[in-house]
Amino acid sequence: MTLPDVPVGTRVVVRYRIDGGFTDALGYLRSRDDTECTVETKRGLATIRLADIVLAKTVPPPTPRRPREW
C-alpha cells in the first residue's frame, strides 16, 4: 500500500528522511497532494514531502487507556 491509496482520516505511521537519518510520524492523515502530506500527531501537525517518505502504512486505532487501580 502506498500513501496515495490511503484515505484521508486514516491512522498511519510514516517513516521519512531528515538530516542525519530518519524519523516517524504516527497519527491521522489529514491532507495529501502531489508533493506533500500532513499527519496529525500528538505533538501537532507534521508536513512531510512525499519525496522524503521511505515507508507508510496504516495502523489500528490506539487502545483505550485503562483506569488506574489504587
Side-chain angles (χ1 to χ4, degrees), residues 3 7-10 12 14 25-33 35-41 44-50 53:
L3 198 58
V8 171
T10 302
V12 295
V14 178
L26 171 65
Y28 294 92
L29 182 63
R30 293 301 180 208
S31 68
R32 175 188 57 238
D33 62 25
T35 60
E36 63 186 21
C37 69
T38 302
V39 177
E40 182 180 0
T41 71
L45 296 176
T47 301
I48 306 162
R49 292 182 335 133
L50 296 181
I53 294 176

Side-chain angles (χ1 to χ4, degrees), residues 63-70:
T63 56
R65 295 185 130 212
R66 296 191 320 181
R68 285 184 154 180
E69 294 184 25
W70 294 94

Side-chain angles (χ1 to χ4, degrees), residues 3-20:
L3 198 58
D5 299 330
V6 177
V8 171
T10 302
R11 189 165 186 248
V12 295
V13 62
V14 178
R15 176 160 292 168
Y16 60 100
R17 290 179 194 86
I18 58 170
D19 289 339

